[in-house]
Amino acid sequence: MVVNSEKILVVEDEWIVGDQICRSLRSFGYEACLLAGSAAEAIRMIEEEKPDLVLMDIVLPGDRDGIETADLIRNRFELPVIYLTAHTNGEFIARAKETRPYGYLIKPFNKMELYTNIEMALQRHQLEKALKDSKLRLDRTLRGVIEALTETIELRGPYLPGHHQRVKSLATGIAAEMGLSAQRVEGIGLASCIYDIGMINVPIEVLHNVNHLEGLKLSLFRTYPTIGYGILKKIDFPWPIAEVVLQHREHYDGTGFPQGIKGENILLEARILAVADALEELTSHRIHRREYPLDKALELVKDNAGSRFDPQVVTACLRLFRERGFLLE
């Protein structure tokens, strides 16, 4: 008999039934079989014993049934759960599906059926964990590359070190204040780090005189959002990063560049980024001028609501500072 090192927790309010299940598991080589008779006991045993899989009865004593308990276990401990139940009506099955179980066995079941479901669930959970770990590594790599690109952009100017991180902090703060989902906020944060990537193709002497450009030099400078879009559109981000980069210099009244689009034709993420970028620039020291005090910078942004900036984004920005006490470090 093969000895399995996995630890199985059986949550069953009938001790005799639970003991029979544990005997069956031991006959298949699972040496560690834990038995809990209630939701509270199951949570306690998971915290103390750290099992690899949970076999869950649906009917349990107390205020929380097996489905509610399974949902809690999935969210807090990320453990695979297999239901063992005599309930086959649609209500129970529909509720159980919401908890994304790894199996739903109807009592009475035979030993081999139980063993097969456990082995399949353990393998599936292991594969999902490996995929999750791989995704986390890829995410860390991507963010590392983006940080390196951000530093490279800032070295070329015209910004001081940390500019993009400050824009990111403000842009994500505004997005959260406007009630955007966590996923969209994350995308705005990423776009805030690389929206100037197109500047790598702009001569340094142009970048250091952006407020005094005209003619060919101005036209050259205004190509950088399009260049950034061309670089980033090849990457399959889960957010419209390339489009945000392309549109972040557009103005709400249509006087921006490179496309001259206006209003809600500009992505909301780009409208948020435009306000965050402008406010950070106003409150930062530049070669050609000193930084503005925050109150003055906020008033300048407010004065441009409806022309350069989306009024709703400006309102959220002002509320963030004046009511929420946000600090732009």
Side-chain angles (χ1 to χ4, degrees), residues 292-312:
Y292 287 96
L294 178 61
D295 286 345
K296 175 63 175 177
L298 288 171
E299 284 302 315
L300 289 171
V301 169
K302 182 180 178 182
D303 289 344
N304 282 276
S307 55
R308 183 174 175 183
F309 306 123
D310 179 343
Q312 291 186 338

Side-chain angles (χ1 to χ4, degrees), residues 12 18 29 55 107 168 177 186 189 192 236 248 261 265 268 305:
E12 171 61 64
L55 300 177
K107 298 177 182 178
K168 174 183 177 181
E177 181 66 24
E186 184 180 1
S192 300
D236 187 20
H248 79 277
I261 55 177
N265 289 322
L268 177 57

Side-chain angles (χ1 to χ4, degrees), residues 85-103:
T85 180
H87 294 281
T88 58
N89 65 62
E91 178 188 354
F92 279 105
I93 293 175
R95 287 182 59 216
K97 283 170 61 178
E98 293 296 320
T99 66
R100 290 183 275 173
Y102 284 64

Side-chain angles (χ1 to χ4, degrees), residues 238-252:
W239 311 278
I241 300 295
E243 289 76 11
V244 173
V245 169
L246 178 65
Q247 297 178 13
H248 79 277
R249 280 284 188 166
E250 302 290 353
H251 292 175
Y252 196 71

Side-chain angles (χ1 to χ4, degrees), residues 196-263:
D196 283 333
I197 191 172
M199 288 187 179
I200 62 174
N201 201 49
V202 179
I204 291 178
E205 61 269 21
V206 172
L207 293 179
H208 285 278
N209 292 280
V210 293
N211 292 292
H212 305 283
L213 297 176
E214 57 184 23
L216 182 60
K217 288 185 177 180
L218 179 59
S219 298
L220 181 59
F221 173 74
R222 287 186 167 185
T223 63
Y224 88 84
T226 305
I227 294 169
Y229 172 78
I231 295 170
L232 297 171
K233 70 178 182 179
K234 303 168 187 176
I235 304 174
D236 187 20
F237 291 110
W239 311 278
I241 300 295
E243 289 76 11
V244 173
V245 169
L246 178 65
Q247 297 178 13
H248 79 277
R249 280 284 188 166
E250 302 290 353
H251 292 175
Y252 196 71
D253 63 2
T255 60
F257 63 90
Q259 298 172 299
I261 55 177
K262 65 180 181 178

